[in-house]
Amino acid sequence: MARVLTLFLKLLRALHTRTCSLLSGEGNEVKACIERPGYARWSVVTVWIEAQLLRVTERLPISYIEKIQVAKLRTILAARLQTPVGASSAVLREFSHIERMKDLERLPILTRDTVRNNFLNKGILNESIPSRRRVLARTSGSTGQPLSFYLDTLSICNRRARFERAMRWITRGSRAQFIRAWGAVPLGFFKYTRARFFTLKSTQNINISVDLFVRFLRGVCNRTTLPIVIDTFPSNTMRLATVVASSAVIDPKRIMGFFCGGEALLPGERKYVEEIFHAPIFSYYASTEFEIIAQECGEAPEGAFHINVEYFYVEIVDHDDTPVSRGNAGRIIVTSLENEVTPFVRYDTGDIGRLLVEKCACGRTLPLLLVEGRKAHLICLPNGKTFTQFSVSSVF
């Protein structure tokens, strides 16, 4: 089985490379990427194959998954060897034939400060990768530490496949209209036909009112009979629920469910939204650096997330960078197994969480992560208007 997976991964990478060659980033932002003829067709095929593979890997024994991780990690470490910041070349060369993911603990942790301070001098950039694969990305700075870096267009089909995995879990395989409502289109979802995108910020970086979003939803409801799944901030689901509860602008039965990330979802908020729409909320853990890292299946204990281990290796460490045992809380350290342009190896996300010992009732073998460090709450003004800390941070 392991040999078959290894061969399949090599063939899949060749397909990813072919698809990626038809898209040009050249260090520009997502919306400036240039699609060459055939890219849309090739990307649909690549994503479909990747998504089918995820149906298999999410139920494999973790020993098989680690073989996939190790194979991908060797490529990432080869890319990391091309960047002058962090671990020495001699240390990195030791890992050229790494056999266990746990061996990563010998490498230093990459901090946000290191990424931010070395962006302009290209200290974290793998310049051996063609510039056409580079896409400029910036975080919002909601943690107080905005930063810029490059993403890899080779990861686009991976990002889409992870999103489709999450949607499959929510819809249980039935058809639905997906809507992503965010401040900006993330890499992989510009011109993505499987979901409609609604931008929550104007060109002046000003938040769009919930009324405009409601009008957009009404238009979608009028054009399709499919049930709707909305991917947005938890605070937006609260605002939408308040509008729907006080008027008949949208039939709540049209909403199949919500997919929420970017903020902490409080138990009371989940209950309120689910009572209004009679639809479940599924949360996920994501970042601009990685897109969706982990997501809920609806059956995990404590509302934990299944980690997409085919693409990420997650560690929990204490304040001294020492790994902690499962079940104990600490800093969440993520290694991306897909970005060769900016190799995020042992990257400190700034979040707090713990890996659970318990198994999930859904039967999937993907490890469970409980995130405890994101504390973004809805801010309510006396006049009834509501917004989040992200609205405040964008002003500054």
Side-chain angles (χ1 to χ4, degrees):
M1 182 65 172
R3 290 182 179 178
V4 172
L5 280 173
T6 301
L7 177 60
F8 190 83
L9 287 171
K10 288 181 179 179
L11 294 173
L12 189 58
R13 180 180 173 83
L15 187 56
H16 277 285
T17 303
R18 167 60 178 163
T19 304
C20 175
S21 68
L22 299 172
L23 182 71
S24 181
E26 301 297 342
N28 298 312
E29 296 184 0
V30 172
K31 59 186 177 183
C33 290
I34 300 175
E35 291 187 10
R36 294 188 175 88
Y39 175 77
R41 182 174 64 255
W42 275 88
S43 62
V44 167
V45 172
T46 305
V47 171
W48 184 86
I49 294 175
E50 183 97 16
Q52 300 312 305
L53 177 64
L54 296 185
R55 289 175 179 266
V56 176
T57 55
E58 66 188 36
R59 297 184 182 275
L60 285 179
I62 199 65
S63 58
Y64 285 123
I65 294 297
E66 185 171 15
K67 292 183 184 298
I68 295 174
Q69 290 178 320
V70 167
K72 290 187 174 184
L73 181 62
R74 288 173 181 169
T75 302
I76 293 298
L77 289 177
R80 183 71 180 84
L81 192 61
Q82 304 300 319
T83 64
V85 173
S88 67
S89 298
V91 172
L92 285 168
R93 286 194 186 96
E94 289 182 27
F95 289 83
S96 59
H97 299 291
I98 190 172
E99 297 294 336
R100 300 186 311 158
M101 296 302 295
K102 191 173 177 59
D103 291 339
L104 269 181
E105 295 174 5
R106 294 161 51 198
L107 292 178
I109 288 176
L110 179 67
T111 66
R112 294 174 68 89
D113 283 340
T114 300
V115 174
R116 184 170 60 253
N117 296 337
N118 287 277
F119 175 73
L120 292 178
N121 65 11
K122 299 182 179 179
I124 59 168
L125 175 67
N126 179 1
E127 294 194 82
S128 68
I129 300 294
S131 61
R132 61 177 173 77
R133 279 176 52 183
R134 302 176 197 164
V135 177
L136 180 62
R138 298 185 179 92
T139 65
S140 63
S142 59
T143 62
Q145 294 181 306
L147 70 158
S148 300
F149 49 89
Y150 290 106
L151 295 173
D152 192 341
T153 58
L154 193 66
S155 67
I156 286 179
C157 292
N158 294 340
R159 288 177 165 224
R160 292 180 178 180
R162 291 199 299 275
F163 178 76
E164 294 194 9
R165 163 189 267 174
M167 292 301 100
R168 170 167 54 84
W169 291 5
I170 293 174
T171 64
R172 300 188 184 278
S174 61
R175 294 183 64 207
Q177 172 64 62
F178 306 138
I179 295 173
R180 303 201 80 183
W182 291 93
V185 183
L187 178 67
F189 295 92
F190 190 68
K191 296 184 180 180
Y192 175 58
T193 58
R194 291 272 287 157
R196 300 274 312 266
F197 200 95
F198 180 83
T199 304
L200 292 174
K201 289 184 181 294
S202 67
T203 54
Q204 290 78 35
N205 199 34
I206 298 173
N207 283 12
I208 299 296
S209 72
V210 69
D211 292 336
L212 290 178
F213 184 41
V214 169
R215 289 183 202 173
F216 171 80
L217 286 177
R218 290 179 64 182
V220 173
C221 289
N222 291 335
R223 286 190 292 273
T224 181
T225 58
L226 292 174
I228 295 171
V229 177
I230 302 174
D231 172 11
T232 189
F233 292 117
S235 56
N236 286 328
T237 66
M238 284 290 292
R239 297 164 73 191
L240 181 62
T242 302
V243 171
V244 171
S246 61
S247 64
V249 291
I250 296 176
D251 181 1
K253 294 179 181 179
R254 294 297 310 277
I255 308 300
M256 185 180 195
F258 292 92
F259 191 45
C260 296
E263 301 168 347
L265 179 64
L266 303 180
E269 294 174 336
R270 183 190 293 265
K271 182 179 179 182
Y272 176 73
V273 172
E274 290 181 347
E275 285 179 351
I276 297 297
F277 292 97
H278 300 287
I281 294 181
F282 291 78
S283 296
Y284 62 92
Y285 178 49
S287 69
T288 306
E289 297 93 321
F290 308 122
E291 191 38 23
I292 300 173
I293 302 170
Q295 65 279 325
E296 283 186 312
C297 68
E299 300 180 55
E302 303 183 67
F305 306 111
H306 281 287
I307 302 171
N308 292 309
V309 289
E310 300 92 343
Y311 309 101
F312 305 104
Y313 179 67
V314 177
E315 305 170 70
I316 307 296
V317 304
D318 62 18
H319 62 281
D320 293 322
D321 296 352
T322 303
V324 303
S325 57
R326 281 182 177 269
N328 293 323
R331 292 151 51 210
I332 299 175
I333 308 299
V334 175
T335 295
S336 169
L337 303 175
E338 60 182 6
N339 189 345
E340 298 169 27
V341 171
T342 305
F344 286 100
V345 177
R346 301 203 78 204
Y347 177 67
D348 191 337
T349 63
D351 295 321
I352 303 297
R354 52 192 170 96
L355 293 170
L356 299 188
V357 178
E358 299 94 323
K359 303 293 183 182
C360 186
C362 72
R364 297 180 180 93
T365 55
L366 303 176
L368 294 172
L369 171 69
L370 187 64
V371 179
E372 301 177 344
R374 288 194 168 183
K375 303 296 182 184
H377 297 290
L378 192 66
I379 301 171
C380 302
L381 297 181
N383 63 5
K385 290 185 177 180
T386 58
F387 54 95
T388 71
Q389 69 173 40
F390 295 91
S391 304
V392 178
S393 63
S394 66
V395 176
F396 297 98

